[in-house]
Amino acid sequence: MALTRADAAARDAADPLAAFRERFVFTDEQRIYLDGNSLGRLPVATRERLHALADDWGDRLVSGWPDWIDAPTRVGDLLAEAVLGAQPGEVIVGDSTTVNLYKLCSAALDLGPGPVVTNRDNFPTDRYVLEGLAAQRGVELRLVDDIESALDDAAVAVISHVDYRSGEIADMRRLNARGARVVWDLCHSAGAIPIGLRDAGVELAVGCTYKYLNGGPGAPAFLYVADELQPRLRSPIWGWFGQRDQFAMERDYDPVEGIGRFLAGTPPVLDLAAVEEGVKLTAAAGVDRLREKSLALCELIIELHDAWLAPLGFELGSPRDGARRGSHVSVRHPEAWPICRALIERADVIPDFRGPDSIRLGVAPLYTRFVDVYDAIDRLRGLVERGEQRLVDPERARVT
Ligand SMILES: *Cc1c(COP(=O)(O)O)cnc(C)c1O
C-alpha cells in the first residue's frame, strides 16, 4: 500500500481547516474519536459561554429573560443562513427532533389526510412517530424498501437526507417533486454536507444539533417550514410560546404569524447558547470547505478499507461514490459488534455500531485529522488480525 502515515500527516499540514481543531476540548490525545456523527465534541467557546450564562442566570434571574427569550429564532436564523440554505424566519430551534417530526407530520396531515410512508430501515424514531400518528388518525402506515415509487399515493413521507446506517444521500429535489408532502430528516446532513432547502424546494424539515453541529448531548433540534407554507400550518401542540401577545395571557389560542407558531413551551436557554456556539464554528469554517475535507477523509477510509480491511472479511456498507455519501463510512463485518467493542476497549478508537453488522466511522472535518483516520484503521486492522474481538464481553450494552 503506497499510502503511509507520513502522507496522512502531510495532508493535515496542508489542511486549511486544521486550526479549527484547537477550538475543541481534547482531554485524551491517544483516543481517536470517530463518532462525531452521534455526539459532536465540546467547543472551547461553549464551555466559556455556558459558565458565563450560568453566572448571568445567578445574577439576573428573571430579569434576564428579555435577552434570552428570542434565542429559538435567533439561533434558527443563523442555522438557516449558514447551514440550511434557508431564509431567516424559516427555522426555529427547540424541542427534540422526535417532537419536531411529530409536529410537522401532524400539521402536514391536517392539510391533506392519507397514507404516511417512510423507508422500512429509516431511523427508528422516524418510523415510530409515523406509526403513532397513523394509529391516532386511522391512516395507513406504509414501510417500504423503495421510497421513490411509494411517494405518489401517500399524503406525507418522512425521508432521511443522509441514511444513518449507510450514509447514502437522498436526492431532495427529485423526491420533493412527487406526490407526497415530504418531511426531511436532516440529522446526518446538517453541518456535514451543503443543504439548499429553498433551492431543492423543501417545504418541511427537522434535524438535530448535537451531531455535526456540536451543540451538546440532548441539544434542542431545529424545525424548518418554508415561508409560503407557514400561514397554512398549525402545530398540534398549542403552547403559549406560539401565542400572539403571549404575555397578554389572553384566553383563546391565536398563533403568531410565521415560524414562531411552532414553538410550544419555555425554551432551554443554556442549551440554545451551546447550539449557537456550535453553529458559529460551522459557519466560520463554511459548509463547502467542511464537505471538501469530509470527502477526502472518507476517501482515505475507503482506500484503507480496500487495502487492509477487505482481506479480513470486511465489506463497504456505504456508497463508494463520494457524491452519494454523507460524512461517515460504514464497514460491515459478521463480527461487527465484538469488533466495535474491542476497538473501544482495547484500541481506544471510538466509532459506533449499528445493527445488524455495521461499524460507522464518522468524520467531523472540524476536528478529525487524516492521521486519526490512518491510525484508527491501522488499529482496527491490527486487532482483527490478532482476533482481539474474541477477548471482549459480547454482552450488548444499553447504548451502542
Ligand atoms: C440522531 C437522529 C435522530 C435523533 O432524534 P432525537 O429526537 O434527537 O433523539 C432522529 N433521526 C435521525 C435520522 C437521527 O440520526
Side-chain angles (χ1 to χ4, degrees):
M1 152 116 222
L3 192 88
T4 64
R5 191 173 194 282
D7 295 330
R11 292 211 209 165
D12 285 321
D15 170 17
L17 297 179
F20 278 94
R21 183 178 163 88
E22 286 153 33
R23 295 166 74 171
F24 290 87
V25 172
F26 284 80
T27 57
D28 179 349
E29 285 291 342
Q30 273 308 302
R31 182 179 305 147
I32 301 175
Y33 191 64
L34 296 181
D35 207 6
N37 50 315
S38 245
L39 178 62
R41 277 194 180 275
L42 169 62
V44 174
T46 301
R47 190 164 58 179
E48 287 160 9
R49 176 95 184 265
L50 289 178
H51 275 133
L53 195 52
D55 288 344
D56 206 26
W57 162 27
D59 177 41
R60 297 168 72 197
L61 297 170
V62 77
S63 68
W65 270 114
D67 287 338
W68 303 332
I69 201 163
D70 292 326
T73 46
R74 186 182 71 238
V75 182
D77 286 349
L78 178 65
L79 259 172
E81 292 195 285
V83 175
L84 300 176
Q87 295 168 357
E90 292 186 313
V91 179
I92 48 168
V93 183
D95 301 315
S96 64
T97 296
T98 304
V99 170
N100 286 338
L101 252 182
Y102 181 85
K103 288 187 210 168
L104 291 190
C105 292
S106 173
L109 276 172
D110 287 340
L111 285 186
V116 291
V117 64
T118 194
N119 288 92
R120 193 183 306 287
D121 58 359
N122 200 355
F123 191 82
T125 217
D126 300 49
R127 287 185 274 118
Y128 302 154
V129 162
L130 285 185
E131 196 180 336
L133 270 168
Q136 286 154 20
R137 297 190 174 228
V139 300
E140 190 192 339
L141 167 65
R142 297 180 183 157
L143 297 175
V144 299
D145 295 314
D146 173 18
I147 193 79
E148 186 160 5
S149 61
L151 290 177
D152 281 339
D153 33 53
V156 173
V158 172
I159 306 179
S160 288
H161 186 203
V162 170
D163 183 87
Y164 80 102
R165 202 182 272 116
S166 70
E168 180 159 5
I169 300 175
D171 186 336
M172 276 185 162
R173 197 188 305 265
R174 198 172 79 220
L175 298 177
N176 277 333
R178 305 299 287 265
R181 180 157 271 132
V182 181
V183 183
W184 286 95
D185 183 331
L186 309 179
C187 282
H188 278 277
S189 54
I193 67 175
I195 303 171
L197 292 181
R198 289 213 65 88
D199 282 354
V202 174
E203 293 184 315
L204 303 164
V206 299
C208 58
T209 60
Y210 51 78
K211 293 172 179 167
Y212 294 102
L213 294 168
N214 305 299
F222 61 84
L223 170 156
Y224 156 93
V225 180
D227 199 33
E228 317 77 85
L229 198 58
Q230 290 173 7
R232 296 170 57 206
L233 288 191
R234 272 205 177 189
S235 173
I237 302 166
W238 294 13
W240 72 313
F241 268 73
Q243 168 74 348
R244 210 183 286 276
D245 292 328
Q246 179 186 4
F247 286 94
M249 308 290 186
E250 285 301 323
R251 193 170 178 285
D252 297 328
Y253 179 70
D254 177 19
V256 294
E257 307 285 331
I259 193 72
R261 59 179 48 201
F262 278 92
L263 293 169
T266 306
V269 173
L270 299 177
D271 292 357
L272 282 160
V275 174
E276 189 166 30
E277 293 305 325
V279 176
K280 275 193 207 161
L281 276 177
T282 294
V287 174
D288 289 335
R289 288 203 301 170
L290 290 168
R291 171 65 169 161
E292 202 177 314
K293 181 175 172 191
S294 154
L295 280 169
L297 288 163
C298 288
E299 260 145 47
L300 179 58
I301 295 178
I302 292 175
E303 219 177 302
L304 295 171
H305 162 273
D306 292 348
W308 294 343
L309 302 182
L312 297 172
F314 284 88
E315 255 178 58
L316 205 57
S318 297
R320 241 171 219 285
D321 174 8
R324 292 180 47 224
R325 192 182 60 234
S327 197
H328 72 267
V329 175
S330 284
V331 294
R332 301 174 60 196
H333 191 284
E335 292 177 280
W337 168 248
I339 291 172
C340 189
R341 284 317 311 166
L343 256 181
I344 297 168
E345 291 169 22
R346 304 177 65 91
D348 219 358
V349 175
I350 319 282
D352 64 17
F353 169 79
R354 288 294 175 263
D357 61 357
S358 292
I359 298 173
R360 290 192 308 189
L361 305 169
V363 300
L366 279 169
Y367 52 77
T368 305
R369 297 171 303 190
F370 289 90
V371 288
D372 294 329
V373 164
Y374 188 93
D375 291 343
I377 310 286
D378 192 27
R379 291 185 203 176
L380 172 56
R381 145 177 91 152
L383 79 85
V384 175
E385 275 171 2
R386 292 187 296 274
E388 288 185 39
Q389 70 272 24
R390 290 173 203 129
L391 304 176
V392 296
D393 178 1
E395 194 65 28
R396 196 61 71 82
R398 163 87 173 83
V399 178
T400 63

